[in-house]
């Protein structure tokens, strides 16, 4: 524990602990914090938990929904990190505790990744911890956790900083670490599809801002393209099955239930005190930029300025300035323009951290704010006085973010609910799918799904009883009929078999979007289950193989590099002894 005896580490540890405690304080409760989408995401966790218990953890269509009818939540929403609370549930944790522990882990991961990225962009630990404090306590990050319960967005918050660092590595470090950008984009996609799209926009805009770099070094574009292709193959198990379903079926999502123009915010509310907002704290912390200057060779400040510029642009994308009445017809899936606050928050946090450190350098050290003058914490660490001064700066930033956070949420009423572990055994609660965007359009009446979830129906409306076992149902046909509508909402990938094990044709033409089995004149028992498609299975294999290959390449690269470093060090030691 020698590290804790160092003054600098004591300050860092204290700031980290307080930041995380402030962020997770609403989660320290025996009851479950309720946000806008809590019930739906908890149902997703329960669905994964039940699939793990039945030995089918990666089903694309979750049989838990609609009393066993099924819903393709896992097909259209990535479950990448949701397996954490699902496994906690399998291990015996309650719904309330597993969900809160998951959110706490997300806060810790966000802090750690923001620190890593801020530190590596600036090559400075102080900027890293400033980035982590600001991002963790920024208003929209906490809004996503406390107000919205937007699992996709607050998990994306963990990895968007990797994208920002990866772009810096691309533009200013010759992309010597392509896996940073690749991993960032892959993880964001596996958390939240819309955040991934916003990161794509960010990358394109950064390429335009730094086009001169790519004119001088065209090979960087090749590196970027290769990284993009590798990322596509790693994540192909997610996006290819979605495209397959869209090619065969039309879903509710094609008919927007809300228009983006309805949710565009006023410009004056961007840094306001009520949801949705970026928060007054972020606004205060980017002000130091006006007190700084930058030399042409200062890549860190140049990138900070670019991040600030694009952060403002993304914030304005959320506002009424944008012609959302027209854009909404093309980008209706955005639904809420203030989703752009995810990437704005990250960009503002990293740029603000750089500005604050540079200004503190000028005030504490009495030197220029450019990297030519003591822009290395080693100089600071040699003097306890400087460590204390920078500690005061960190404490001040933490105080600003904490006070603005408390002030923002002091007038908001938080709701809690005690979920019993058998809460979703009550069938009506399994229909909590918000707007049901991933239901096929052939479902005419969502309410009727629960009414018909226990029976199959013949061509003349005759009722047939069914038996369910895991994700499989069995129907006994004692009278020849041409077809049977079984109680599964149809998605491509359902398979029906007779007692001899022969496949029977199925499609989605059943009443109210149910799966129709064409039995012909067959009498006897049929079984129906969701087994997925060939494309789903092949994409899983491709994702796994690509991931293993990349891990092997990276491991080999570092092994060779370590061996060369060891050999070089040994040679230098030999020469020193010879002298």
């Amino acid at each position: 524990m020698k590290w804790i005896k160092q003054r600098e580490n004591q300050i860092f540890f204290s700031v980290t602990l307080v930041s995380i405690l402030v962020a997770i304080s609403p989660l320290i409760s025996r009851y479950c914090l309720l946000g806008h989408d809590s019930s739906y995401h908890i149902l997703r966790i329960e669905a994964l938990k039940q699939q793990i218990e039945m030995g089918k953890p990666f089903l694309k269509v979750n049989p838990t929904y609609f009393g066993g009818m099924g819903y393709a939540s896992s097909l259209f929403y990535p479950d990448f990190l949701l397996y954490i609370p699902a496994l906690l549930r399998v291990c015996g944790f309650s719904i309330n505790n597993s969900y809160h522990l998951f959110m706490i882990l997300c806060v810790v991961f966000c802090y750690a990744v923001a620190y890593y990225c801020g530190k590596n962009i600036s090559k400075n630990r102080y900027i890293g911890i400033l980035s982590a404090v600001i991002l963790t306590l920024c208003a929209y990050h906490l809004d996503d956790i406390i107000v919205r319960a937007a699992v996709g967005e607050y998990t994306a918050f963990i990895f968007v900083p990797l994208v920002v660092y990866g772009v810096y590595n691309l533009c200013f470090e010759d992309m010597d670490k392509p896996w940073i950008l690749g991993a960032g984009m892959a993880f964001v996609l596996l958390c939240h599809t819309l955040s991934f799209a916003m990161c794509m926009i960010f990358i394109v805009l950064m390429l335009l801002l730094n086009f001169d770099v790519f004119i001088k070094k065209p090979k960087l574009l090749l590196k970027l393209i290769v990284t993009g292709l590798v990322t596509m193959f790693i994540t192909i198990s997610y996006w290819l099955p979605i495209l397959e379903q869209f090619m065969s079926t039309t879903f509710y999502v094609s008919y927007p239930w809300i228009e983006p123009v309805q949710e565009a915010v006023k410009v004056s509310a961007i840094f306001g005190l009520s949801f949705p907002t970026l928060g007054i704290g972020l606004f205060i912390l980017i002000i130091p930029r006006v007190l700084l200057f930058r030399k042409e060779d200062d890549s860190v400040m140049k990138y900070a300025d670019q991040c600030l510029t694009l952060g403002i642009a993304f914030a304005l994308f959320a506002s009424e300035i944008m012609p959302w009445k027209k854009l909404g017809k093309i980008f209706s899936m955005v639904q809420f323009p203030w989703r752009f606050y995810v990437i704005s928050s990250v960009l503002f946090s990293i740029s603000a951290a750089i500005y604050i450190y540079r200004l503190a350098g000028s005030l504490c050290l009495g030197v220029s704010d450019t990297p030519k003058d003591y822009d290395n914490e080693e100089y600071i660490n040699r003097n306890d006085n400087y460590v204390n001064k920078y500690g005061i700066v960190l404490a001040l930033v933490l105080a600003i973010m904490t006070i603005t956070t408390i002030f923002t949420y002091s007038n908001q009423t938080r709701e809690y609910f005690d979920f019993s572990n058998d809460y979703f055994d009550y069938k009506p609660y399994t229909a909590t799918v918000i707007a049901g965007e991933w239901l096929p359009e052939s479902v005419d009446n969502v309410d009727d799904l629960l009414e018909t979830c226990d029976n199959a129906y013949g061509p003349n409306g005759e009722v047939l009883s069914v038996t369910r076992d895991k994700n499989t149902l069995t129907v006994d046909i004692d009278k020849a009929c041409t077809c049977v509508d079984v109680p599964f909402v149809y998605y491509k990938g359902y398979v029906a078999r007779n007692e001899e094990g022969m496949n029977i044709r199925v499609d989605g033409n059943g009443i109210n979007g149910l799966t129709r089995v064409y039995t012909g004149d067959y009498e006897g028992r049929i079984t129906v289950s969701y087994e997925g498609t060939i494309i789903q299975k092949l994409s899983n294999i491709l994702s796994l193989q690509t991931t293993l290959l990349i891990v092997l390449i990276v491991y080999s690269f570092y092994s060779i590099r370590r061996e060369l470093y060891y050999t070089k060090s040994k040679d230098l030691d030999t020469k020193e002894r010879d002298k």
Side-chain angles (χ1 to χ4, degrees):
M1 298 291 288
K2 290 182 179 180
W3 66 273
I4 199 64
K5 295 181 180 179
Q6 296 180 14
R7 179 63 175 160
E8 180 192 43
N9 291 335
Q10 292 173 352
I11 293 172
F12 282 8
F13 178 77
S14 301
V15 169
T16 297
L17 183 62
V18 173
S19 299
I20 292 174
L21 285 176
V22 170
I24 68 171
S25 58
L27 306 175
I28 303 174
S29 168
R30 58 169 291 193
Y31 302 113
C32 189
L33 177 65
L34 286 183
H36 297 168
D37 299 341
S38 295
S39 295
Y40 171 60
H41 292 302
I42 291 172
L43 178 54
R44 290 176 64 196
I45 294 168
E46 285 300 289
L48 291 178
K49 174 243 184 186
Q50 291 181 19
Q51 287 168 209
I52 292 170
E53 289 178 335
M54 69 173 64
K56 298 178 181 292
F58 304 116
L59 279 176
K60 293 290 188 180
V61 175
N62 313 101
T64 302
Y65 290 83
F66 296 106
M69 285 281 200
Y71 183 64
S73 178
S74 290
L75 196 154
F76 294 101
Y77 286 100
D79 292 327
F80 174 54
L81 291 180
L82 278 189
Y83 283 101
I84 295 174
L87 287 170
L88 289 175
R89 287 285 293 125
V90 171
C91 293
F93 285 80
S94 67
I95 289 178
N96 303 335
N97 291 339
S98 60
Y99 185 55
H100 277 199
L101 283 171
F102 171 62
M103 289 193 286
I104 290 170
L105 284 174
C106 287
V107 170
V108 174
F109 291 157
C110 179
Y111 189 96
V113 175
Y115 168 76
Y116 172 80
C117 294
K119 174 179 177 289
N120 281 279
I121 288 172
S122 61
K123 308 300 181 287
N124 190 292
R125 291 178 67 193
Y126 288 89
I127 292 176
I129 198 166
L130 282 166
S131 301
V133 171
I134 297 169
L135 182 60
T136 302
L137 295 178
C138 76
Y140 191 70
H141 179 227
L142 297 181
D143 278 342
D144 268 346
I145 295 172
I146 299 170
V147 179
R148 296 193 61 221
V151 169
E153 287 189 16
Y154 69 67
T155 53
F157 258 108
I158 299 171
F159 302 109
V160 172
L162 278 177
V163 176
V164 176
Y165 172 34
V167 172
Y168 177 81
N169 183 252
L170 167 67
C171 297
F172 299 100
E173 296 179 328
D174 293 337
M175 206 177 190
D176 60 346
K177 300 175 183 176
W179 50 87
I180 297 295
L181 182 57
M185 290 298 285
F187 288 138
V188 171
L189 178 59
L190 295 177
C191 288
H192 193 233
T193 310
L194 285 175
S195 294
F196 173 83
M198 293 170 193
C199 285
M200 287 291 293
I201 297 172
F202 165 70
I203 292 172
V204 171
L205 292 176
M206 273 297 182
L207 292 180
L208 293 175
L209 287 176
N210 296 285
F211 71 94
D212 56 318
V213 174
F214 300 95
I215 291 175
K216 296 175 184 175
K217 302 175 181 178
K219 288 185 178 180
L220 286 178
L221 283 176
L222 180 60
K223 278 188 176 182
L224 180 61
I225 292 169
V226 171
T227 301
L229 290 173
V230 171
T231 304
M232 285 178 62
F233 276 102
I234 287 175
T235 58
I236 197 171
S237 61
Y238 169 62
W239 58 264
L240 189 59
I242 292 178
L243 295 180
E244 179 190 23
Q245 293 288 334
F246 271 121
M247 291 175 66
S248 63
T249 311
T250 303
F251 298 93
Y252 276 28
V253 73
S254 299
Y255 308 97
W257 60 277
I258 190 169
E259 297 291 337
V261 69
Q262 297 172 247
E263 294 294 326
V265 301
K266 296 182 182 297
V267 174
S268 59
I270 290 175
F271 293 102
L273 295 175
S274 59
F275 171 83
T277 178
L278 284 170
I280 191 66
L282 270 184
F283 178 75
I284 293 171
L285 295 179
I286 59 177
I287 291 176
R289 178 63 189 93
V290 300
L291 303 175
L292 299 170
F293 63 89
R294 175 178 65 82
K295 290 185 177 180
E296 291 302 318
D297 61 347
D298 189 350
S299 62
V300 174
M301 275 290 286
K302 180 179 180 180
Y303 191 61
D305 288 344
Q306 291 176 348
C307 287
L308 177 62
T309 302
L310 293 186
I312 294 170
F314 281 114
L316 292 176
F317 285 168
S319 74
E320 295 174 336
I321 286 180
M322 298 296 291
W324 280 112
K325 197 165 186 178
K326 294 180 180 179
L327 290 176
K329 296 176 182 178
I330 305 172
F331 303 107
S332 60
M333 286 188 69
V334 171
Q335 297 176 334
F336 309 106
W338 31 263
R339 292 182 191 272
F340 284 101
Y341 285 171
V342 172
I343 193 161
S344 279
S345 298
V346 176
L347 295 176
F348 282 141
S349 297
I350 291 175
S351 57
I354 293 169
Y355 298 149
I356 292 166
Y357 177 81
R358 291 294 178 81
L359 181 61
S362 297
L363 298 177
C364 294
L365 302 179
V367 297
S368 168
D369 60 285
T370 65
K372 297 297 182 184
D373 297 301
Y374 309 118
D375 191 42
N376 189 318
E377 70 263 21
E378 289 181 7
Y379 177 83
I380 300 165
N381 295 344
R382 288 197 296 267
N383 189 313
D384 286 341
N385 184 43
Y386 291 147
V387 170
N388 291 331
K389 286 181 178 180
Y390 274 93
I392 293 172
V393 172
L394 287 172
L396 180 62
V397 170
L398 176 58
I400 290 172
M401 295 305 296
T402 300
I403 291 169
T404 54
T405 295
I406 294 172
F407 187 74
T408 300
Y409 293 106
S410 61
N411 296 322
Q412 293 185 17
T413 302
R414 289 195 292 270
E415 294 184 19
Y416 291 85
F417 185 80
D418 188 9
F419 285 92
S420 61
N421 288 334
D422 59 353
Y423 181 82
F424 292 103
D425 289 347
Y426 182 54
K427 289 182 181 179
Y429 294 157
T430 64
T432 308
V433 293
I434 311 177
E437 294 163 311
W438 306 116
L439 286 170
E441 68 169 349
S442 55
V443 176
D444 300 319
N445 191 321
V446 178
D447 295 332
D448 280 355
L449 292 177
L450 287 173
E451 299 296 326
T452 58
C453 66
D454 294 323
N455 299 302
Y457 298 88
N460 299 316
E462 55 269 38
V463 177
L464 304 172
S465 62
V466 300
T467 302
R468 293 187 185 274
D469 180 28
K470 298 180 180 179
N471 73 317
T472 302
L473 62 79
T474 304
V475 183
D476 288 315
I477 303 173
D478 55 9
K479 182 180 178 182
C481 54
T482 56
C483 63
V484 175
D485 294 343
V486 299
F488 277 140
V489 175
Y490 179 77
Y491 297 93
K492 189 173 183 180
Y494 273 105
V495 175
R497 294 186 177 90
N498 59 24
E499 289 181 282
E500 288 74 39
M502 296 178 61
N503 284 1
I504 307 172
R505 184 166 71 91
V506 300
D507 63 23
N509 293 326
I511 56 171
N512 202 28
L514 299 189
T515 300
R516 175 162 291 177
V517 182
Y518 293 88
T519 54
D521 294 327
Y522 178 77
E523 293 183 39
R525 177 169 294 180
I526 62 170
T527 58
V528 186
S529 62
Y530 192 82
E531 296 184 6
T533 66
I534 293 174
I535 285 180
Q536 288 177 20
K537 294 168 185 175
L538 288 176
S539 64
N540 287 337
I541 294 170
L542 277 173
S543 281
L544 181 61
Q545 289 182 336
T546 305
T547 303
L548 292 175
L549 180 61
I550 295 304
V551 169
L552 181 62
I553 290 172
V554 172
Y555 175 77
S556 299
F557 173 80
Y558 273 111
S559 296
I560 294 170
R561 190 174 177 180
R562 187 169 61 249
E563 185 64 30
L564 289 173
Y565 177 79
Y566 176 76
T567 304
K568 186 176 179 180
S569 299
K570 195 173 181 180
D571 291 342
L572 288 173
D573 290 341
T574 302
K575 288 179 181 178
E576 287 294 325
R577 285 196 297 270
D578 291 342
K579 287 181 180 180

